[in-house]
Amino acid sequence: MAKITYREALKQGLREALHADPKVFLMGEDVGRYGGAFAVSKGLFQEFGPDRIMDVPLSESGFTGAGIGAALGGMKPIVEIMTVNFSLLAMDQIVNNAATLLHMSGGQIHVPIVIRISCGVGKQLGAQHSHSWEPLFAHIPGLNVISAGTHEDARGMLLTALKSPDPVILFEYTGLLNVEGEVPETAVEVDITKAKIRKEGKDLSLITYGSGVIKALEAAADLAVLGMDIEVLDLRSLRPLDEKAIFTSVQKTHRAIILEDAWRSVSISSEISARIMENVFYDLDAPVERLCGLEVPIPYPKHLEDACVPQKEQIVSQIRKMLSK
Amino acid sequence: MSQSLQITREKGVFLLLQMMRIRRFEEKAAEMYTKAKIRGFLHLYIGEEAVAVGITDLLGPEDNILATYREHGHALARGISANQIMAEMYGKVEGCSKGRGGSMHLFDAKKKFYGGNAIVASHLPVAVGLALASKKQEKADLTACFFGEGAMAEGEFHEAMNLAALWQLPLLMVCENNRYAMGTAVQYTHSNPDIEAKGKVYGIESATVDGMDVLSVRSAAEKAIEYIRLTGKPFFMVCNTYRFKAHSMFDAELYRDKMEVETWKKLDPIPKMQQYLLENFQFIESELKDLESACDQEVQQAVDFAEAGSWEPVENLQNYVYSPKE
Ligand SMILES: Cc1ncc(C[n+]2csc(CCOP(=O)(O)OP(=O)(O)O)c2C)c(N)n1
C-alpha cells in the first residue's frame, strides 16, 4: 500500500488513462498551462502535450458538446468541468445530447464520454461556488453518475468509466484534495456499479456518498467508543443505485440513516428512503432518517456555512437518538 | 498621455484619489487574507483601476452597474463605503450584502450596484434585462456591465450582444481585457484576437482604449455614454489592461513570464496620473502625501469597522431565501 493525497490519486488515474489509450484526451478550462484549477493535472501538459491536455476557452456548453461529438467520432474524451457550479451551462449538452442520443437513435449512437466534475461545500466560496448537485445529475436516465469518496475510487473510477459505452459523470471532492489515504501500489480499475461497505456494523446502516464517506467513518468511530456498531455504506454509484447492497444492509441492521451534503428535497436520500420503504419496509425497526444540507444557498461566513451541511457531531447525536443511547 | 485636457485640476485629483483608494484597499484586503480574516476567493483588481474609475465617474446615480467577482474597485468607485465592503469581506452583518456574499458578491441595490457575479458571463444577459426595463419604462438611465475577455468566449456574451443590438438597448458593455482568463492567455481563448470586432459584428458601435490610462478611459467613456444617451443604443468598449497580481489570491503563475508582468507594471495607471497632474497642474509632493494618508486612514477605519462588526446568529441562517411574507 502507498499513502497519497486525493489530488495525487486523481492525477495517477488520469496519467494511467492517458498512457493506456492514445484516443483518450483531457479537455477543460485551465487543465494545461495553468496546471488545473486545483493542480490535479499539473505536469500532464508537459508530459502529454497540448493535443492530449487541451486548454479550452470559457465555454462549458461548447466544449462539453464538442466532447460528445468527439466521442461519437471515435475518440475517448475526458471532459473536465472545473466545478459543478459551472456545469449548468453544459446541462443542455449533458441531458439533451449525452444522455439521450442512444435512445433517440434507437440504440445506434453511443456516447462514451467521461465528464469529471469537482464539487463540494466548505471553502467559504459563497452561494455560486459551493453546490452539491449530485442529485440533479442522478435524476437523468441515460447517465451513469459515480462519486469518488475515497482515494482508491479517486484513482480507479476514471479507468473503469472510460470502458463504459455510455456517458459517465464522475464527481470529485475539492474538500478532500489534500487529505492523505491508502491505495494499492498500482492504479487498478474499480467496479463502478456497486456500493461498498466501508465499515461493517450491525446496529444501524449509515448510507452516504462522496464528501459524506469520511465524515461517516469518523462518526462511526466515535459511536464505536460509545458501544454502537455502525455500518457505513458508500453508495459510489448514484445512478444506477445498487439497491441490493442497500437492502442487504438494512435487512441486517434494521435501521437506516442517509447522509448527504445536498439539499434535502428531491435528493439522493429521499430516493433511497423511498426505495427502502417500497422494498424492505417490514425489515425496519424504526423510520428511516436523513441528514442533509439545509435548504439555503450557501452563505460566505464560516459559521453559517458549517451550519448548512451535516457535521460529525450532528451525525453522532442523531444516531445516538435513533439508538436511544 | 491622453489628449483629453478638458478635465479640471479638481477632477484629475479626484480620479487619482479614486484609484489610490482602490489600490490601498485591496493591498489591505490581501494582508487581511493572509491573516485569515478574509477567506474564500479574493480576486484583486490591482493594475486595472483606471478602467472602473474612468467609467464609473461618468455614471449617474440612476445608472445600473454590474461587475464580476473582481469588483472591489467598481464598488468603491460607485460609492459603496470601504467600511461596508471590508465588513462584507469579513462576513459580518454590517457588510453591503449582510455578510452573506463575501468578496465575490458585493451588492447595493440603492446604489444600483448589481454584483459581484461569480459565474463568468452570467451577469451579461441580466445587464441586457436591466437596460430593457429602462427602455420599457422610458427612463433615461443606462446600464454599465463589466467583464473580462475570457467571458467573451461564453455563449452568454454572444446572446447578450445580439439581444442588446436587436432590441436597441441603452447598455455600455465594457471588456476589461487583462489578457488572461485565469491561466489561459487571450490567444488560446479568441480565434480572432481583434476583440473590438466582436461588437461590430453585431452592429454595435465599438471602441478600444488604453485601459492603463484613466484619462483615455474616461474620455472614451464620455463619448460612449453620450452616444448611448443620445441614441438609446448599446456601445461596446474594450479596455486593454493587465492584472499585476495572481488570478485569485494565490496561483503559481506558471502561464506568464515574470518579465511580462514587470513590463506592464511600468504602465501602472497610478504613478502615470500622478505624473500627469504634476506636469499639467503643478500637483506637489505634499498633496500626494495628503491623498496617501487619506487612503490609509479610510482603509484602517474600514478594518476597524469590520473587526468590530457582528456575526449573523445561526438562527437567522435561512433568511433571504424567499421574500418576507406581507
Ligand atoms: C461559467 C464559469 N466557468 C468557469 C469559472 C471559473 N473562472 C473564474 S474566473 C475565470 C477566468 C475569467 O477570465 P476573464 O473573463 O478574462 O476575467 P478576469 O478574471 O481576467 O478578470 C474562470 C475560468 C467561472 N467562475 N464561471
Side-chain angles (χ1 to χ4, degrees):
Chain A
M1 296 292 266
K3 200 160 201 193
I4 58 172
T5 60
Y6 186 89
R7 175 185 287 107
E8 180 60 25
L10 289 170
K11 185 190 291 184
Q12 286 184 6
L14 271 170
R15 183 183 284 123
E16 184 78 12
L18 287 154
H19 274 305
D21 184 348
K23 288 195 167 157
V24 170
F25 68 101
L26 173 69
M27 66 200 292
E29 290 163 11
D30 291 301
V31 295
R33 293 165 186 86
Y34 190 84
F38 307 106
V40 166
S41 51
K42 197 168 170 190
L44 297 184
F45 181 83
Q46 288 71 21
E47 188 175 344
F48 295 97
D51 289 339
R52 301 197 64 203
I53 307 292
M54 279 179 74
D55 278 325
V56 300
L58 275 142
S59 46
E60 288 79 4
S61 183
F63 69 76
T64 304
I68 293 167
L72 300 189
M75 295 301 290
K76 286 265 177 189
I78 303 170
V79 168
E80 172 179 310
I81 297 179
M82 191 184 284
T83 74
V84 75
N85 317 288
F86 319 137
S87 70
L88 292 197
L89 281 95
M91 210 53 158
D92 171 56
Q93 289 295 339
I94 295 172
V95 179
N96 281 319
N97 286 334
T100 310
L101 279 166
L102 181 68
H103 184 83
M104 287 192 304
S105 67
Q108 297 177 74
I109 296 181
H110 301 267
V111 189
I113 187 174
V114 178
I115 303 176
R116 298 175 41 236
I117 308 181
S118 72
C119 64
V121 193
K123 300 262 177 203
Q124 288 192 260
L125 299 181
Q128 291 183 333
H129 274 64
S130 306
H131 296 295
S132 304
W133 276 336
E134 295 92 334
L136 284 185
F137 291 81
H139 186 63
I140 313 297
L143 298 182
N144 295 287
V145 182
I146 55 178
S147 163
T150 64
H151 292 67
E152 195 183 350
D153 282 349
R155 194 176 63 180
M157 275 183 159
L158 177 67
L159 301 172
T160 326
L162 283 164
K163 302 251 157 77
S164 168
D166 297 319
V168 178
I169 310 291
L170 167 54
F171 281 106
E172 305 169 353
Y173 296 86
T174 44
L176 301 179
L177 286 169
N178 293 327
V179 176
E180 289 199 326
E182 300 253 318
V183 288
E185 291 296 336
T186 50
V188 284
E189 291 176 27
V190 296
D191 186 348
I192 55 170
T193 61
K194 300 241 169 9
K196 206 162 182 169
I197 294 172
R198 298 289 177 197
K199 179 194 166 296
E200 299 229 23
K202 57 177 178 11
D203 293 339
L204 176 144
S205 303
L206 172 51
I207 304 169
T208 190
Y209 62 91
S211 51
V213 176
I214 288 184
K215 277 194 275 192
L217 288 170
E218 286 172 359
D222 287 8
L223 289 160
V225 175
L226 299 169
M228 284 160 273
D229 190 13
I230 307 303
E231 177 145 299
V232 176
L233 182 68
D234 175 5
L235 291 167
R236 301 177 71 252
S237 172
L238 307 179
R239 181 177 195 100
L241 283 169
D242 182 0
E243 287 190 331
K244 190 158 165 258
I246 298 167
F247 300 158
T248 307
S249 180
V250 171
Q251 281 165 333
K252 177 166 91 174
T253 65
H254 310 291
R255 282 188 166 80
I257 183 167
I258 309 144
L259 165 71
E260 66 183 332
D261 282 351
W263 291 314
R264 187 179 188 91
S265 301
V266 201
S267 59
I268 302 287
S269 63
S270 47
E271 180 61 29
I272 290 176
S273 174
R275 292 204 199 182
I276 292 174
M277 240 63 98
E278 288 161 355
N279 293 280
V280 286
F281 179 77
Y282 295 105
D283 289 290
L284 288 171
D285 284 348
V288 173
E289 298 202 14
R290 299 191 277 152
L291 272 174
C292 309
L294 214 61
E295 307 222 342
V296 59
I298 308 290
Y300 162 70
K302 185 72 188 145
H303 68 296
L304 297 184
E305 184 183 48
D306 283 347
C308 284
V309 289
Q311 305 292 332
K312 187 183 77 175
E313 297 69 31
Q314 246 175 302
I315 306 169
V316 169
S317 73
Q318 184 101 353
I319 291 178
R320 288 183 69 173
K321 254 187 256 156
M322 287 176 77
L323 295 175
S324 317
K325 287 211 181 171
Chain B
M1 185 45 75
S2 147
Q3 65 294 23
S4 172
L5 290 171
Q6 291 105 322
I7 62 152
T8 61
R9 185 185 207 275
E10 195 189 356
K11 176 60 79 183
V13 173
F14 175 74
L15 295 174
L16 173 63
L17 175 63
Q18 289 286 64
M19 292 195 290
M20 289 170 62
R21 288 177 64 221
I22 297 170
R23 178 73 54 96
R24 193 68 204 95
F25 181 90
E26 287 205 316
E27 284 166 352
K28 193 56 141 185
E31 183 190 325
M32 290 305 145
Y33 192 92
T34 56
K35 291 186 178 162
K37 296 286 187 181
I38 298 172
R39 296 279 78 193
F41 287 147
L42 180 68
H43 305 86
L44 300 179
Y45 195 55
I46 290 177
E48 307 184 39
E49 295 93 339
V51 178
V53 168
I55 292 169
T56 310
D57 185 52
L58 294 156
L59 299 176
E62 292 305 314
D63 296 330
N64 305 306
I65 304 192
L66 299 90
T68 70
Y69 41 83
R70 198 183 299 288
E71 87 286 30
H72 314 134
H74 310 74
L76 280 166
R78 182 56 174 179
I80 305 179
S81 75
N83 284 2
Q84 275 187 296
I85 300 173
M86 192 62 85
E88 185 59 36
M89 285 159 53
Y90 269 63
K92 299 286 180 84
V93 180
E94 292 76 8
C96 57
S97 307
K98 301 257 195 322
R100 300 277 169 151
S103 158
M104 297 201 289
H105 302 297
L106 306 175
F107 286 89
D108 190 334
K110 284 210 186 71
K111 297 230 155 63
K112 309 242 162 185
F113 194 85
Y114 293 94
N117 298 278
I119 303 297
V120 170
S122 93
H123 59 301
L124 277 60
V126 178
V128 168
L130 281 161
L132 178 65
S134 300
K135 180 169 178 167
K136 282 191 182 291
Q137 297 170 90
E138 295 175 12
K139 290 183 179 167
D141 49 73
L142 62 82
T143 296
C145 179
F146 296 83
F147 49 88
E149 86 295 338
M152 291 173 56
E154 292 280 9
E156 290 194 306
F157 167 79
H158 296 275
E159 295 178 26
M161 292 294 271
N162 186 51
L163 292 176
L166 190 66
W167 296 339
Q168 304 273 299
L169 300 177
L171 180 63
L172 178 62
M173 295 289 266
V174 183
C175 170
E176 307 181 298
N177 175 18
N178 63 15
R179 313 184 63 81
Y180 292 91
M182 269 179 80
T184 302
V186 62
Q187 66 267 30
Y188 303 116
T189 296
H190 287 268
S191 56
N192 176 1
D194 181 359
I195 290 181
E196 187 187 321
K198 280 153 208 187
K200 291 194 182 127
V201 79
Y202 290 103
I204 295 178
E205 204 61 35
S206 306
T208 302
V209 55
D210 175 6
M212 304 304 279
D213 175 11
V214 70
L215 295 178
S216 300
V217 172
R218 191 176 179 281
S219 81
E222 201 162 23
K223 289 190 202 110
I225 288 171
E226 205 174 84
Y227 169 86
I228 297 170
R229 297 223 196 268
L230 206 69
T231 63
K233 294 184 191 176
F235 194 100
F236 179 47
M237 222 174 127
V238 181
C239 303
N240 288 325
T241 181
Y242 201 79
R243 77 173 144 71
F244 293 170
K245 302 287 181 184
H247 166 73
S248 182
M249 262 308 276
F250 304 106
D251 79 51
E253 297 192 55
L254 302 171
Y255 51 85
R256 65 182 186 183
D257 202 40
K258 292 240 159 25
M259 277 308 294
E260 181 186 289
V261 182
E262 290 313 309
T263 309
W264 276 91
K265 279 187 179 168
K266 294 201 181 87
L267 303 175
D268 191 329
I270 293 178
K272 190 176 201 171
M273 188 60 183
Q274 289 166 358
Q275 188 62 26
Y276 171 83
L277 290 172
L278 179 87
E279 283 168 17
N280 292 277
F281 294 113
Q282 289 84 44
F283 184 70
I284 54 170
E285 191 65 26
S286 69
E287 287 178 280
L288 182 62
K289 285 270 158 331
D290 288 348
L291 296 188
E292 275 168 359
S293 59
C295 293
D296 286 344
Q297 213 181 340
E298 182 186 21
V299 168
Q300 190 51 51
Q301 266 171 17
V303 168
D304 296 342
F305 179 80
E307 289 282 348
S310 40
W311 298 113
E312 180 86 77
V314 176
E315 304 85 82
N316 299 345
L317 174 52
Q318 280 175 296
N319 286 0
Y320 318 125
V321 181
Y322 297 98
S323 305
K325 299 211 168 56
E326 298 293 308

